[in-house]
Amino acid sequence: MRRVEQVMGLPVSVDLRDGDADGDADGARSAAVDRAFAWLREVDARFSPFRPDSEVCRLDRGELDPADVSADLAHVLDLCAHYERATGGAFSARVPGRPLDPCAVVKGWAVQRAADLLAGAGATSFAVNAGGDVATAGGPWRVGLRHPLDPTAFSAVLTVTDRAVATSARYERGDHILDARTGRPVTDLLSLTVVAPDLTTADATATAAFAMGAAGVEWAAARPGCEVHAVDAAHRVHRTPGLPVAA
């Protein structure tokens, strides 16, 4: 079973590959996919910095007391604060002069929660792909990393089982990742991919590391459970020894 929907401003696909299915099992899986997409639509409505009525925007405008935010938003903001401390301020959801924007944490966290909904419904072999960031269960799954200079090529192909893969890069949205310490775009990296046990960790680590610039490659590689593939502005490739490159 495979389904693709446009959610949170990007294509999200769910690919379920659990074994032979009878009608009841197929119906249960379809219902689980429905719940996963409903959750992602709910996240978009509640956490988008581009929707004036979202919880994030209401908090940013001071219409919502910080003590009254939902448990989910409190958790996301705690994650943002964690990565801000860990990067010495390079990563931040509150860059001066800009509105509150926790998207760098929200996407991975939300998609991982969607994957957890599928697993909770009994699915054991699936991939959830949100614009190239992938959470997997079972496997092995082959995940291609887009070449940062050639959209028709891969810079690497990975083989992952029960792992997640996330990439931060300049090739889709230009120089959109800022070093919050300076407020300026990061330009000494072209792309940085993190493989981690879950997509919350992979996505947040990839963005936080990119915000640090070239120093973020080593920082991400030292994070527990993380493997890294990066291409810097001089077109040099950096890989950790444990990166699961396909044979």
Side-chain angles (χ1 to χ4, degrees):
M1 180 187 297
R2 188 170 191 272
R3 190 184 304 177
V4 182
E5 293 190 16
Q6 192 80 10
V7 189
M8 299 189 295
L10 63 151
V12 178
S13 67
V14 174
D15 191 346
L16 285 172
R17 295 188 182 176
D18 285 274
D20 295 335
D22 57 34
D24 289 342
D26 192 55
R29 282 197 295 271
S30 181
V33 173
D34 288 342
R35 289 194 295 273
F37 277 113
W39 159 249
L40 294 176
R41 289 190 293 271
E42 176 188 341
V43 167
D44 191 29
R46 291 171 54 197
F47 291 86
S48 172
F50 309 109
R51 293 174 177 253
D53 61 341
S54 73
E55 188 177 6
V56 165
C57 287
R58 289 187 292 117
L59 174 64
D60 194 40
R61 291 194 301 264
E63 298 170 4
L64 183 64
D65 190 290
D68 296 329
V69 301
S70 67
D72 284 339
L73 181 53
H75 176 63
V76 164
L77 293 176
D78 283 346
L79 285 172
C80 289
H82 166 76
Y83 283 97
E84 183 170 355
R85 292 190 299 269
T87 61
F91 170 88
S92 180
R94 295 183 181 274
V95 178
R98 291 174 175 252
L100 172 64
D101 184 358
C103 288
V105 167
V106 167
K107 184 176 75 167
W109 165 79
V111 174
Q112 183 59 53
R113 180 82 68 88
D116 293 343
L117 287 171
L118 297 175
T124 59
S125 180
F126 61 83
V128 184
N129 184 334
D133 295 339
V134 185
T136 73
W141 294 86
R142 292 169 68 87
V143 179
L145 306 184
R146 175 176 160 176
H147 195 290
L149 299 172
D150 182 355
T152 68
F154 294 127
S155 57
V157 177
L158 309 181
T159 302
V160 295
T161 301
D162 294 320
R163 304 275 280 174
V165 182
T167 299
S168 287
R170 297 162 59 191
Y171 49 70
E172 284 288 353
R173 298 169 55 195
D175 295 332
H176 68 288
I177 301 176
L178 306 181
D179 181 340
R181 296 169 297 190
T182 64
R184 297 181 61 81
V186 177
T187 59
D188 51 355
L189 291 174
L190 297 181
S191 68
L192 189 149
T193 297
V194 173
V195 181
D198 61 87
L199 194 55
T200 306
T201 301
D203 197 21
T205 301
T207 306
F210 201 103
M212 297 176 72
V217 177
E218 185 175 345
W219 175 83
R223 305 294 291 177
C226 291
E227 301 293 342
V228 178
H229 178 284
V231 182
D232 65 25
H235 305 172
R236 293 183 296 254
V237 175
H238 308 264
R239 293 180 176 177
T240 52
L243 189 75
V245 179

